[in-house]
Amino acid sequence: MDRGADSFGNDDLVHDERLSPNFNERRLPVTMAVLHYTELPHDEALDRLTDPDAGVSAHYFISEQGRVTRLVPEDKRAWHAGISCWRGVTDVNSASIGIELDHPGHAGGYREFAPAQIDALIPLLAAIVKRYDIPRANVVAHSDVAPARKIDPGELFPWDRLAEYGLCLPKPAKLELGDPFQNDGAFMLALERFGYDITEATKAVEAFQRRWRPEIIDGAIDGQVGAILFQLLLDRDRGLTR
Ligand SMILES: [Zn+2]
């Protein structure tokens, strides 16, 4: 049975196809992957992502049991990121693959992501990253690209597991300096340089914390977040990451 195998032959990673009418043409090449949670029960989420009146979609949906459903072909522009910005790209939908994770979200009783779901995500994402040569720094959370509006997939998302497979930037193993930023303004400029939209400063700091220092998310610029950001930028400048 043809389960929607595409020209890349990745049908072993994609189990179902339920095409959404919510897409249009890309205006940019794919250079990013954006991860989301649905914050809805399984069936409602799939209904919404394929409802023409809802006007939202993603390329893939992954159930908590690890079933991957294709909603939008990868060459089309899915509608998952909304108003967003990452490293100067403001049409994130045109430049990204969007993946929705079946999850109750913060509103529905925030909890750990199901291991089977992450086990399905890793090979799917690995194939995507390879196909488009996506830089590790461009595998991001919805909260990274829309810090003023979004907090998904949130602080319990297991970035460490993705990093094990080289699918996102790892948390810097060692920090070379204490607090390299003399003031909050310098930190914010560095945060913008790393990729964040800093229009709403506190929200941008929270998004950075949610991703890189999830133990404390308070929007305050402290020495630890300063050191983490500095290390991330240093590694990029040295060509260790991109
Ligand atoms: Zn989202």
Side-chain angles (χ1 to χ4, degrees), residues 35-37 80 100 142 150 152:
L35 304 179
H36 304 259
Y37 62 43
H80 54 96
E100 286 278 358
H142 198 189
K150 296 292 177 179
D152 65 312

Side-chain angles (χ1 to χ4, degrees), residues 135-148:
R136 285 184 299 165
N138 284 3
V139 176
V140 293
H142 198 189
S143 55
D144 291 324
V145 303

Side-chain angles (χ1 to χ4, degrees), residues 8 10 13 30-35 60 74 95-99 121-140 159 162-163 165-169 242:
F8 301 104
N10 67 352
L13 302 176
V30 174
T31 53
M32 302 175 60
V34 182
L35 304 179
Y60 298 101
E74 288 186 7
S96 65
I97 299 290
I99 301 174
L121 170 64
I122 285 171
L124 179 72
L125 186 59
I128 291 166
V129 163
K130 187 166 176 227
R131 196 173 298 144
Y132 302 102
D133 190 27
I134 296 175
R136 285 184 299 165
N138 284 3
V139 176
V140 293
W159 294 103
L162 267 53
Y165 294 89
L167 300 177
C168 67
L169 288 183
R242 65 189 178 108

Side-chain angles (χ1 to χ4, degrees), residues 193-237:
R193 192 165 144 241
F194 186 64
Y196 287 85
D197 172 9
I198 59 163
T199 308
E200 292 196 31
T202 303
K203 296 283 192 185
V205 176
E206 284 178 4
F208 183 82
Q209 291 172 331
R210 203 176 295 285
R211 172 71 178 80
W212 296 102
R213 207 276 308 275
E215 295 80 11
I216 307 169
I217 303 166
D218 60 3
I221 299 165
D222 57 44
Q224 191 182 26
V225 292
I228 293 169
L229 176 58
F230 182 71
Q231 193 65 49
L232 289 167
L233 285 171
L234 200 61
D235 288 347
R236 186 190 287 174
D237 286 350

Side-chain angles (χ1 to χ4, degrees), residues 53-91:
D53 293 328
V56 294
S57 63
H59 294 93
Y60 298 101
F61 168 92
I62 307 180
S63 78
E64 293 200 289
Q65 290 72 38
R67 261 195 109 65
V68 179
T69 302
R70 174 184 288 112
L71 303 171
V72 173
E74 288 186 7
D75 63 337
K76 301 299 182 189
R77 178 179 180 271
W79 302 343
H80 54 96
I83 296 168
S84 48
C85 179
W86 185 249
R87 296 174 86 171
V89 173
T90 52
D91 184 357

